[in-house]
Amino acid sequence: MEDKERKCPRGKLHCFNWLEDIPGGLADFDIVEVQFKNTRKGFYRNSVNLPLEIGDMVAVEASPGHDIGRVTLVGKLVALQMRRANIKPDAEIRRVFRKAKPADLEKYEEAKARENDTMIRSRKIAESLNLNMKIGDVEYQGDGNKAIFYYIADERVDFRQLIKVLADTFKVRIEMKQIGARQEAGRIGGIGSCGRPLCCASWMTNFVSVGTSAARYQDISLNPQKLAGQCAKLKCCLNFEVDTYVESARYLPGKEIRLETADNTYYHFKTDIFKKEVTYSTDKQLAANLVTIDAARAFEVIDMNKRGEKPLQLQRDGDEKSNAKQRPIDLASQDELTRFDKTKKKKRKKGSNNNSQKPDNAPKSENKERPSNQQQKGENRQPDNQGNQPRRNNDRKPKGNNQGKGGQNNAGKNPQQGGNAGNGGAKHNQQGEQSRPNRPPKAFRDNQEND
């Protein structure tokens, strides 16, 4: 099973034969499904009863010559695929000749290598003939005797002259096939805005018309750049979930209904189908005084308005707290590389834990306000009763000898206070006072010592 899945062409209309292991030959069928370049498929009869499996390269009948393709489905499921493709059982079905030989595969690869160059040259030829058409793809037959040109045109094109020029240029049989923009995207392939291969290039076989009403039902912004696919048409995936939205909208109040309360009139603003909640606004055009309620409460208010009653407010009693704005979830943060890193704790400063390191028996110091810059500079300081200048808070407790020197220095600087300052050290030693005169600047002391 794993080998067969590996042999299947990747991203090109995946298929799996889930009836393969049924015993008794009930899953046997003489027709196989063969896929050629991109999305082109065909059904061929295995008249020689070759032991074919999914992924085998086979040579099949073509007109003229033969073509090389890959088997994508065998067994009874092929009948279901034929019914899906509207192929009748009595239709003419071509045969499978043989499994592809190395010589067949070599010629097939040479033909594929010429496709890109042929497409570019054919576009220039069509432009020189002033034909309003676009050649989107070229496919060579497995034996190299025929080339199929796929083109897009908005109107009818007379390409008889083009076929003659192409046949003379490339020396092969020419076949022209007109396709639409969706078929062109399926043949070329690519990656969609969802990050996956295009649906038309991977599994879709038929295309359904898509309208802007599908976007309106799903409350999608009608932005042409976001709604259009690589084919410049509306994305096919808009039709995938529109039926679920339409079914869920039946259990919600209509958008044209307005709700009446005792103090205001509320108009429909938006609907959350998944939560079954409706948001109403007091302004018909703008978002003003938005109130969000569930669908059951909306139907209750509608019934009350039909009976001529008007509630005091849209919300039920006690729903105000539940409708409080919650913190939005940042989806982008879920993909950050640092989301598993441990948050580092902030280190506390050394001085912040001084109080906690003191012993319990230590006396608690009173909280004193920190002096301002002006107080630190000594602008508003006043002398004490003895005429001494008050000391700063950060000055250390002086000794007697130093006080004496300080007094002499101050006496030299301030002659009026020299006597009081000179006695500062003796008074401090005798009386134990906490204040002492300020020492002069270092530059002044140095000058005095030099003198």
Side-chain angles (χ1 to χ4, degrees):
M1 183 185 301
E2 294 179 357
D3 295 340
K4 294 177 182 179
E5 291 180 356
R6 178 176 55 81
K7 290 180 181 180
C8 270
R10 206 169 198 180
K12 298 293 183 183
L13 305 175
H14 291 288
C15 48
F16 178 74
N17 187 9
W18 50 274
L19 297 176
E20 180 184 11
D21 55 351
I22 296 180
L26 298 177
D28 295 339
F29 197 60
D30 60 342
I31 299 177
V32 296
E33 183 185 60
V34 180
Q35 178 178 332
F36 303 96
K37 182 182 178 181
N38 296 328
T39 58
R40 186 169 72 93
K41 283 188 174 184
F43 299 95
Y44 297 86
R45 190 180 301 278
N46 186 9
S47 58
V48 195
N49 295 327
L50 297 173
L52 300 178
E53 295 181 355
I54 295 176
D56 292 340
M57 299 294 295
V58 294
V60 298
E61 182 182 1
S63 60
H66 68 274
D67 202 352
I68 303 297
R70 185 188 300 271
V71 178
T72 55
L73 192 62
V74 296
K76 202 69 175 179
L77 289 180
V78 179
L80 300 178
Q81 291 287 77
M82 293 176 63
R83 187 187 307 173
R84 184 181 179 183
N86 296 326
I87 297 178
K88 298 180 180 180
D90 55 350
E92 182 181 358
I93 298 177
R94 295 176 179 174
R95 300 172 298 162
V96 176
F97 288 153
R98 61 185 181 275
K99 286 187 177 182
K101 299 179 181 179
D104 298 332
L105 295 177
E106 184 178 355
K107 187 180 293 186
Y108 171 66
E109 294 296 335
E110 292 177 359
K112 284 180 60 178
R114 293 187 294 166
E115 291 176 353
N116 189 28
D117 184 41
T118 302
M119 180 183 64
I120 295 174
R121 293 178 61 186
S122 62
R123 287 179 178 178
K124 294 180 180 179
I125 294 172
E127 184 179 359
S128 63
L129 296 176
N130 297 325
L131 297 178
N132 188 14
M133 59 184 296
K134 174 189 175 184
I135 299 177
D137 192 15
V138 177
E139 179 184 356
Y140 271 94
Q141 196 169 270
D143 54 2
N145 296 328
K146 179 180 176 183
I148 303 175
F149 291 80
Y150 297 92
Y151 71 95
I152 302 173
D154 297 333
E155 55 188 13
R156 190 179 181 88
V157 180
D158 185 8
F159 46 78
R160 290 177 293 182
Q161 182 65 26
L162 177 63
I163 293 177
K164 294 180 181 179
V165 176
L166 294 177
D168 295 338
T169 303
F170 303 109
K171 308 299 180 181
V172 292
R173 186 186 179 102
I174 304 298
E175 181 179 352
M176 305 293 296
K177 283 189 177 181
Q178 185 175 1
I179 58 176
R182 299 183 187 275
Q183 287 82 357
E184 181 191 20
R187 291 194 61 82
I188 296 175
I191 303 297
S193 58
C194 58
R196 298 176 60 87
L198 298 179
C199 297
C200 53
S202 58
W203 61 272
M204 288 185 66
T205 56
N206 56 345
F207 300 94
V208 183
S209 61
V210 184
T212 56
S213 58
R216 292 192 182 95
Y217 281 121
Q218 302 176 63
D219 290 335
I220 300 177
S221 176
L222 299 179
N223 188 350
Q225 295 180 354
K226 294 183 178 181
L227 296 182
Q230 294 189 5
C231 57
K233 304 291 183 180
L234 292 177
K235 294 179 181 178
C236 298
C237 55
L238 292 176
N239 282 345
F240 294 168
E241 299 179 356
V242 65
D243 294 337
T244 304
Y245 279 86
V246 172
E247 183 67 22
S248 300
R250 296 180 182 177
Y251 302 98
L252 296 173
K255 297 181 179 180
E256 69 283 353
I257 299 177
R258 54 185 183 178
L259 306 182
E260 300 285 345
T261 59
D263 57 348
N264 232 324
T265 301
Y266 289 89
Y267 302 91
H268 178 272
F269 183 71
K270 66 177 181 179
T271 303
D272 193 334
I273 295 181
F274 300 105
K275 294 183 178 180
K276 297 188 181 301
E277 293 179 349
V278 189
T279 302
Y280 289 91
S281 172
T282 55
D283 195 300
K284 197 171 184 179
Q285 303 294 337
L286 303 175
N289 303 324
L290 297 179
V291 179
T292 303
I293 58 177
D294 55 3
R297 175 59 179 172
F299 284 116
E300 289 179 7
V301 177
I302 293 173
D303 293 339
M304 295 175 66
N305 293 154
K306 289 182 179 179
R307 296 193 303 265
E309 301 176 2
K310 294 183 179 180
L312 297 178
Q313 58 182 2
L314 282 184
Q315 295 177 338
R316 298 188 183 92
D317 296 337
D319 288 352
E320 292 84 357
K321 296 182 180 180
S322 62
N323 288 336
K325 291 185 178 180
Q326 299 179 356
R327 185 178 180 182
I329 300 175
D330 188 6
L331 297 179
S333 63
Q334 298 179 2
D335 297 334
E336 292 182 357
L337 297 177
T338 60
R339 64 185 185 275
F340 296 116
D341 296 345
K342 295 182 180 180
T343 56
K344 297 181 180 180
K345 296 182 179 180
K346 295 182 178 179
K347 296 182 179 180
R348 297 183 179 180
K349 296 182 180 179
K350 295 181 180 179
S352 60
N353 296 332
N354 291 339
N355 297 332
S356 61
Q357 295 177 359
K358 290 182 179 180
D360 297 338
N361 299 331
K364 297 181 179 179
S365 61
E366 296 180 358
N367 295 329
K368 296 182 179 180
E369 295 183 357
R370 185 177 181 181
S372 61
N373 295 332
Q374 295 179 356
Q375 294 177 359
Q376 291 179 1
K377 291 180 180 179
E379 294 180 5
N380 298 328
R381 291 182 294 175
Q382 297 179 359
D384 54 3
N385 296 331
Q386 299 178 2
N388 297 327
Q389 294 292 335
R391 67 181 181 88
R392 296 183 181 179
N393 295 332
N394 57 355
D395 291 340
R396 294 183 179 180
K397 192 172 182 180
K399 295 181 181 180
N401 297 331
N402 295 334
Q403 287 291 338
K405 293 180 181 179
Q408 295 176 2
N409 293 337
N410 287 335
K413 184 178 180 181
N414 300 324
Q416 297 178 358
Q417 299 179 0
N420 295 334
N423 298 330
K427 290 181 179 180
H428 178 76
N429 294 334
Q430 295 174 4
Q431 300 177 5
E433 294 179 357
Q434 298 296 328
S435 62
R436 72 177 184 87
N438 293 332
R439 300 181 64 184
K442 183 178 179 181
F444 181 82
R445 295 200 306 271
D446 295 341
N447 296 332
Q448 188 174 9
E449 291 177 359
N450 294 331
D451 295 340

